[in-house]
Amino acid sequence: MAILINLDRILDERGMKSNELADIVGITTANLSILKTGKAKAVRFSTLEAICKALDCQPGDILEYKAS
Amino acid sequence: MNKNSLLNIATFLCKFINACLIIVLLILTVVFIHFQVDRNFYKGWHTEKPIKGNSIQFQKTYGDEVIDPDKIYITDWNTGSLYFNYFKYVGIIFLLYLTIYQFQKVLKSVKNFETFKTTNVQAFRRIGVYCLIISSISWITDWDFNNYHVSGFHIDFDFLIISLLAFIFAEIFKEGNQLMEENKLTV
């Protein structure tokens, strides 16, 4: 997929673990894994907002477009 | 009437019809075998001319047995026609059983809130194929008795329409499955 998810990098920078983020955002670790591995078909604005709030970042820091 | 009780009634009806089909199949087979072993047992069983469509209704006259040339007697049934009709109806009953079994599987998945599973798409496709085969089997008629013979070809639209509906449902369920997958992969 042309949209890349840089969640792992941001998590590393913030020193946060996946399950911690999942707890804060209020999604399951399985769903977070779907997002991280790029299997997700769509991301809700509410989820994106919660992730940005938890990681103190912009949506553009998490999502990246790469022409395939 | 809530969803579950409706589904329970439908499931019960499916089970009941399937049980009836098995009983009919057994009776048909027993009569088919017995007819060949002891044809005279069925002496007096007859039907009226002409035989329309696929159905035939035999009845027995009690009392004085006078051979009526206008009647068709079961003992005069040609062996080839007998075998053809036996296998034709056994095939139809068996395919009906499979169709209802597939429908039962769909009902079960709806009950378990797994309506748009890929197995349901396959089930509806199978129902479509079974009904198509039933329809094509029903097209051929062959009743052959010593004093009367009718064989022909007629198009039966009932199962053809059910088959078409089943294929349409399969496509609808396929769309539903895609939407479900998308929804499942929405974080």
Side-chain angles (χ1 to χ4, degrees), chain A residues 29-41:
Chain A
T29 46
N31 269 351
L32 191 66
S33 170
I34 287 170
L35 184 64
K36 272 168 48 180
T37 51
K39 285 177 187 164
K41 297 254 186 191

Side-chain angles (χ1 to χ4, degrees), chain B residues 173-187:
Chain B
F173 272 68
K174 197 178 152 193
E175 290 275 325
N177 178 259
Q178 280 169 356
L179 285 173
M180 191 196 76
E181 288 293 321
E182 250 175 52
N183 192 42
K184 214 159 70 179
L185 292 172
T186 297
V187 182

Side-chain angles (χ1 to χ4, degrees), chain B residues 30-49:
Chain B
V30 167
V31 171
F32 174 70
I33 294 166
H34 186 247
F35 182 72
Q36 287 170 91
V37 174
D38 185 13
R39 221 172 237 244
N40 284 333
F41 180 82
Y42 300 91
K43 212 173 169 183
W45 283 88
H46 65 271
T47 186
E48 302 295 327
K49 286 183 201 173

Side-chain angles (χ1 to χ4, degrees), chain B residues 15-32:
Chain B
K15 280 181 184 171
F16 177 74
I17 295 167
N18 265 357
C20 288
L21 285 174
I22 292 170
I23 293 165
V24 169
L25 191 73
L26 286 172
I27 292 169
L28 207 66
T29 306
V30 167
V31 171
F32 174 70

Side-chain angles (χ1 to χ4, degrees), chain B:
Chain B
M1 196 179 282
N2 64 33
K3 186 184 169 188
N4 259 353
S5 57
L6 196 70
L7 287 172
N8 284 338
I9 293 168
T11 309
F12 170 77
L13 277 175
C14 284
K15 280 181 184 171
F16 177 74
I17 295 167
N18 265 357
C20 288
L21 285 174
I22 292 170
I23 293 165
V24 169
L25 191 73
L26 286 172
I27 292 169
L28 207 66
T29 306
V30 167
V31 171
F32 174 70
I33 294 166
H34 186 247
F35 182 72
Q36 287 170 91
V37 174
D38 185 13
R39 221 172 237 244
N40 284 333
F41 180 82
Y42 300 91
K43 212 173 169 183
W45 283 88
H46 65 271
T47 186
E48 302 295 327
K49 286 183 201 173
I51 301 159
K52 288 175 191 166
N54 277 319
S55 61
I56 186 164
Q57 188 184 6
F58 283 102
Q59 45 196 293
K60 185 170 168 60
T61 316
Y62 291 95
D64 293 337
E65 279 185 24
V66 182
I67 303 291
D68 185 351
D70 287 333
K71 281 178 182 170
I72 302 160
Y73 289 91
I74 193 170
T75 43
D76 293 335
W77 206 339
N78 184 299
T79 313
S81 169
L82 176 74
Y83 270 79
F84 171 80
N85 282 297
Y86 171 73
F87 286 115
K88 178 183 160 179
Y89 285 106
V90 162
I92 288 172
I93 291 167
F94 182 64
L95 288 167
L96 270 177
Y97 177 87
L98 290 179
T99 304
I100 292 165
Y101 176 71
Q102 291 296 330
F103 191 64
Q104 239 176 294
K105 272 166 57 176
V106 174
L107 289 175
K108 197 179 169 187
S109 71
V110 174
K111 218 166 141 183
N112 295 335
F113 301 101
E114 294 167 334
T115 312
F116 294 111
K117 263 171 74 180
T118 44
T119 47
N120 284 350
V121 179
Q122 288 166 355
F124 273 112
R125 279 199 189 132
R126 282 189 192 132
I127 290 172
V129 171
Y130 296 150
C131 289
L132 204 65
I133 299 170
I134 292 171
S135 175
S136 40
I137 292 173
S138 312
W139 289 355
I140 312 155
T141 312
D142 181 56
W143 298 110
D144 189 7
F145 298 86
N146 282 346
N147 58 338
Y148 189 72
H149 180 208
V150 58
S151 55
F153 185 83
H154 74 281
I155 294 175
D156 195 356
F157 284 105
D158 302 356
F159 279 100
L160 215 56
I161 290 166
I162 295 171
S163 167
L164 188 71
L165 283 174
F167 283 124
I168 291 168
F169 272 118
E171 284 306 306
I172 292 168
F173 272 68
K174 197 178 152 193
E175 290 275 325
N177 178 259
Q178 280 169 356
L179 285 173
M180 191 196 76
E181 288 293 321
E182 250 175 52
N183 192 42
K184 214 159 70 179
L185 292 172
T186 297
V187 182

